[in-house]
Amino acid sequence: MKLSRLLAVPTVALAMLLGQAVADPARAAVLGAPYCKYDDYRNSCLRVNGTATLNHWKFTAGQDSYMPRWYADEILARGGSFQAKLRFENGTNDIEIGELFLDPGWPASGPEGLGAEFSGVFGSGVLNRRNGEEEFYVRIKYFDFHINDWVINDTGRVKHDFRPWIIVEDR
């Protein structure tokens, strides 16, 4: 056997091992399709992506509220006080984990109504609540001065194991 072939076997094995550790689709990829909740007047969706930083996840939540454009423009003119909070499904008392922030260019109005998009990055140390599969959603709200009340919507719920990866270096 040639020396180049002898060196190729451990190199290929190492590449395969590193590829599994770094790019495990269950941990680093998008966690499936968006998790949405719809009704006749709005939809709210959540996406979760791995990031370039190990054990960190980007949560992106969006909401579309269907209404006349002039109505949406009036809400925006008054500020709307848009908020989005990541919440942990705990059965009876859901726990607020942290805040997502408005993405550039949002909120916005259009021919179909009012839209907003938020995002935030959270580490596995915050997300790993029970050392197993966890369930999270985002609560989005804004103030509608027309009705003098908050409009509150929850996204669909994402279930995933957010336990941190541990990399052991051989020295």
Side-chain angles (χ1 to χ4, degrees), residues 76 82 101-110 114-118:
L76 292 177
F82 288 81
F101 299 96
L102 278 166
D103 286 342
W106 296 99
S109 65
L114 182 64
E117 187 173 291
F118 307 82

Side-chain angles (χ1 to χ4, degrees), residues 94-166:
D94 293 355
I95 300 168
E96 187 177 295
I97 300 297
E99 187 170 0
L100 283 77
F101 299 96
L102 278 166
D103 286 342
W106 296 99
S109 65
E112 294 186 2
L114 182 64
E117 187 173 291
F118 307 82
S119 62
V121 175
F122 299 90
S124 291
V126 171
L127 299 173
N128 181 35
R129 311 298 291 186
R130 295 184 290 217
N131 282 327
E133 187 173 82
E134 315 292 354
E135 188 171 339
F136 291 93
Y137 66 97
V138 173
R139 176 160 290 160
I140 300 172
K141 67 182 190 175
Y142 64 91
F143 192 79
D144 183 346
F145 78 94
H146 297 101
I147 60 172
N148 198 35
D149 203 358
W150 290 94
V151 177
I152 300 172
N153 301 290
D154 295 340
T155 64
R157 294 162 189 261
V158 60
K159 293 179 184 178
H160 187 69
D161 183 347
F162 289 100
R163 283 182 283 193
W165 276 70
I166 300 171

Side-chain angles (χ1 to χ4, degrees), residues 14-88:
L14 180 62
M16 288 174 59
L17 182 62
L18 287 174
Q20 287 177 345
V22 173
D24 182 353
R27 293 244 182 211
V30 175
L31 297 178
Y35 301 88
C36 297
K37 191 172 177 184
Y38 300 96
D39 67 25
D40 292 339
Y41 305 104
R42 64 194 144 262
N43 68 60
S44 302
C45 296
L46 172 63
R47 280 188 181 272
V48 181
N49 298 73
T51 67
T53 303
L54 186 65
N55 297 322
H56 284 76
W57 300 86
K58 182 177 182 184
F59 285 71
T60 303
Q63 176 179 306
D64 294 318
S65 296
Y66 305 111
M67 62 185 70
R69 186 177 197 148
W70 64 265
Y71 194 97
D73 287 340
E74 288 180 357
I75 291 172
L76 292 177
R78 298 257 182 125
S81 298
F82 288 81
Q83 299 175 16
K85 308 280 182 162
L86 179 64
R87 300 177 67 85
F88 168 66

